[in-house]
Amino acid sequence: MTLSNNEILQYMSGYLRAWEADGYLSLSRFTEKQEALHEKNWAPKEKASSSMFLEFVSDCTEISFDYRILPGSSQKFYGIDLLVDGMNTVCKFEQTDRTEGTFFAKIEEKGKKKITVYFPNLARMEIKNLTVDGMMEKVQRKVRYLAL
C-alpha cells in the first residue's frame, strides 16, 4: 500500500507545519511567523528535520519511501533510523551530496509491531511514496497531565 502525502501526515509527529514541494511532503518545526522573525539570523540547523518522526503499528515485513535531502547544517552527512518496538534495527548514513534517494528496509520481526522512523537531525528531509506491505494503525499515545 502506497500512501499519499496527506495520508502520511496521519502518522507523523514533531512538526508544526506541512506543505507539498515538488510532490514531496515538507515539514517544519516552526510556524511561518517564527520563521519570519528569524529570517535575518536563521541558522541552517533550524531548518533540519530533528524531532520529526513517522510512527505506526503494522504487521509489515517491508517499508520504503522516496526522500529528498536539503541542507540543514554545516555537516556533510545525514542519518535515518528505523526502530522496531523501540529497538534500532536500521541506521542509514549518507553524504549530503546525494540529494534524492529511496529508503528501504526489510523487517524480520513477525506479527504486529510499532515502527518508528526518525528523520535526520542534521539535514532537512522531505518524503513521498511511503509504501508498507501490511496494515497500518496510528500509535495511541497516552495523555499526560501536569498537575499544579
Side-chain angles (χ1 to χ4, degrees):
M1 154 176 62
T2 301
L3 278 67
S4 69
N5 288 344
N6 283 334
E7 292 170 323
I8 293 170
L9 276 177
Q10 297 176 41
Y11 303 101
M12 290 296 309
S13 291
Y15 72 96
L16 286 178
R17 220 164 39 90
W19 67 95
E20 280 199 26
D22 302 322
Y24 287 87
L25 177 61
S26 190
L27 305 165
S28 177
R29 299 177 288 151
F30 304 100
T31 66
E32 288 182 48
K33 185 177 179 181
Q34 287 171 318
E35 287 181 8
L37 289 170
H38 292 94
E39 191 67 36
K40 292 180 183 175
N41 298 317
W42 200 252
K45 198 169 196 171
E46 292 172 332
K47 294 184 179 183
S49 300
S50 58
S51 81
M52 293 181 218
F53 59 94
L54 178 64
E55 189 171 53
F56 55 92
V57 174
S58 180
D59 60 357
C60 67
T61 59
E62 294 180 352
I63 177 175
S64 68
F65 56 84
D66 298 323
Y67 66 88
R68 179 168 65 179
I69 295 294
L70 303 170
S73 76
S74 60
Q75 301 298 323
K76 301 296 182 202
F77 59 90
Y78 63 91
I80 303 169
D81 294 320
L82 174 91
L83 284 73
V84 177
D85 289 332
M87 298 296 292
N88 203 340
T89 58
V90 176
C91 298
K92 179 177 181 169
F93 287 95
E94 296 278 345
Q95 298 292 320
T96 52
D97 58 354
R98 183 171 173 211
T99 59
E100 292 185 4
T102 299
F103 178 87
F104 174 81
K106 280 194 135 335
I107 300 169
E108 303 296 326
E109 291 79 356
K110 304 290 183 221
K112 278 180 138 180
K113 57 225 159 243
K114 184 171 84 169
I115 308 291
T116 308
V117 178
Y118 283 101
F119 283 30
N121 65 346
L122 297 174
R124 181 184 197 124
M125 185 170 81
E126 300 174 326
I127 70 169
K128 67 179 180 180
N129 300 328
L130 171 63
T131 304
V132 175
D133 69 343
M135 52 73 74
M136 291 177 73
E137 297 173 356
K138 284 182 166 182
V139 171
Q140 298 302 317
R141 301 199 177 276
K142 295 179 183 174
V143 177
R144 297 180 184 176
Y145 295 99
L146 176 61
L148 298 175

